[in-house]
Amino acid sequence: MFDSINSQSILDFDVKIFLHFLNQCGNVDIKSIENIHSNLVLNEIKTNSIIGLSEARNLLIDYISPKKESIIGFPDDDCWYPEKFFFQLLSKKKLPVIMTNVFDPISINRYGTRSYKSKYNLSFLSSLKNAISVNIFLDFDCISGIKFNENFGIGTVYGSGEESIFISQVVKKGIKTQYEGSLLVYHELDPFISCEDTGYYNKIYNYSYGYSKACLYIYKHYNYKALFLLIRQIFLVLLLIIISNKTKKKAYIQRFKGFFGVCKN
């Protein structure tokens, strides 16, 4: 990720990119990072303990002192960007919130069924359906009073769904969103593998479990339509179980079980 940011062509203009990262237990030596572009600013926050992803993001949000017209994003450490990504982002961004496509250039596949077309003034359901942490970029002043729910996300009880709750809060404030399908963030897809690795299948289960819990949370607190999205996902996974080969079927069954794990709690 760092190399793809550091090589952005937009850095040659009067634009600065601030990369804020949380160094948990001193696992990263920032002094070892070399050849940093003069317009790329690295800011480090250190913690003495391991914390969940949502808590880490909230710490970084509190830490940031935004400049005028600042845009904030939430990249994963294993995502990366095409050479002119940020130049295109600034050119195409028309509303306070923009969500991009997510693409795996190795397997040549998109994340989910996201379109390559552009859409403006997205509905609540469209915003919720398209949102994934790495593809959300928004004006910093949009998130005044908004935080990630620290019960959701990696390192918490519910290992996913934090971005869905986050974008639901944004949309409920009446902030307009757009989707730009031609703008790509790169991220490898998790491959379907045939193995007896319980960790692999537990990851699939936990993701669906967290997602379904997040949809129910949004249904109760922000918008009842989140329940429709959850039901749609359940029926889609059922269909995929029926039509998929043996390798994929086992993974989809774990995903289906994850959806109903919330019924036990």
Side-chain angles (χ1 to χ4, degrees):
M1 178 191 70
F2 172 78
D3 289 340
S4 70
I5 294 176
N6 196 42
S7 61
Q8 290 291 313
S9 57
I10 199 170
L11 287 172
D12 294 326
F13 299 92
D14 188 23
V15 173
K16 283 189 178 293
I17 296 178
F18 292 82
L19 183 59
H20 306 280
F21 70 96
L22 196 71
N23 193 353
Q24 303 192 46
C25 302
N27 291 329
V28 178
D29 181 10
I30 191 172
K31 295 180 181 179
S32 66
I33 302 176
E34 300 178 347
N35 301 318
I36 300 174
H37 195 288
S38 60
N39 279 356
L40 177 61
V41 181
L42 297 181
N43 289 324
E44 175 187 29
I45 304 173
K46 293 182 179 180
T47 65
N48 295 321
S49 60
I50 302 297
I51 61 177
L53 176 62
S54 290
E55 184 179 352
R57 286 174 172 165
N58 287 339
L59 282 175
L60 292 171
I61 289 172
D62 289 337
Y63 172 82
I64 295 172
S65 298
K67 307 296 183 183
K68 185 179 180 182
E69 298 180 348
S70 293
I71 298 173
I72 186 171
F74 306 100
D76 287 349
D77 58 357
D78 56 351
C79 77
W80 70 103
Y81 305 100
E83 182 180 352
K84 297 182 179 180
F85 175 81
F86 290 105
F87 177 81
Q88 294 173 341
L89 177 72
L90 294 178
S91 300
K92 295 177 182 293
K93 186 175 178 294
K94 308 299 181 184
L95 295 174
V97 180
I98 182 172
M99 288 176 278
T100 73
N101 215 330
V102 184
F103 185 79
D104 180 357
I106 298 173
S107 67
I108 321 294
N109 283 306
R110 291 171 291 169
Y111 259 56
T113 57
R114 291 173 179 83
S115 170
Y116 286 110
K117 297 180 180 180
S118 301
K119 301 176 183 178
Y120 298 93
N121 295 321
L122 297 182
S123 67
F124 173 83
L125 278 180
S126 292
S127 297
L128 194 59
K129 185 174 69 172
N130 283 298
I132 182 172
S133 291
V134 299
N135 82 336
I136 302 171
F137 299 87
L138 65 169
D139 297 341
F140 189 85
D141 56 11
C142 285
I143 61 174
S144 176
I146 296 177
K147 293 291 183 68
F148 285 92
N149 188 312
E150 295 180 4
N151 292 318
F152 292 83
I154 295 173
T156 68
V157 177
Y158 311 118
S160 64
E162 78 284 355
E163 71 272 27
S164 298
I165 297 174
F166 182 85
I167 203 69
S168 295
Q169 295 177 78
V170 172
V171 175
K172 188 174 182 180
K173 287 181 66 176
I175 297 169
K176 294 182 177 181
T177 64
Q178 73 179 90
Y179 170 77
E180 185 54 60
S182 64
L183 195 57
L184 306 178
V185 171
Y186 291 155
H187 195 296
E188 282 192 65
L189 285 165
D190 288 331
F192 287 100
I193 58 176
S194 179
C195 68
E196 298 303 321
D197 182 1
T198 56
Y200 169 73
Y201 293 108
N202 284 340
K203 179 181 178 181
I204 295 172
Y205 175 94
N206 290 335
Y207 180 86
S208 292
Y209 177 72
Y211 177 81
S212 58
K213 194 71 176 182
C215 283
L216 292 176
Y217 182 90
I218 296 165
Y219 162 73
K220 292 177 181 178
H221 296 276
Y222 300 115
N223 194 308
Y224 69 92
K225 293 181 181 179
L227 188 60
F228 300 150
L229 186 60
L230 176 58
I231 293 171
R232 176 182 178 274
Q233 287 295 316
I234 291 172
F235 277 104
L236 176 60
V237 171
L238 272 174
L239 176 62
L240 291 171
I241 290 173
I242 295 170
I243 66 175
S244 296
N245 61 39
K246 185 177 179 180
T247 300
K248 292 184 178 181
K249 189 185 298 290
K250 188 172 181 180
Y252 284 128
I253 288 173
Q254 286 300 110
R255 186 176 294 182
F256 183 78
K257 290 179 178 178
F259 285 137
F260 288 95
V262 293
C263 300
K264 301 177 182 179
N265 297 284

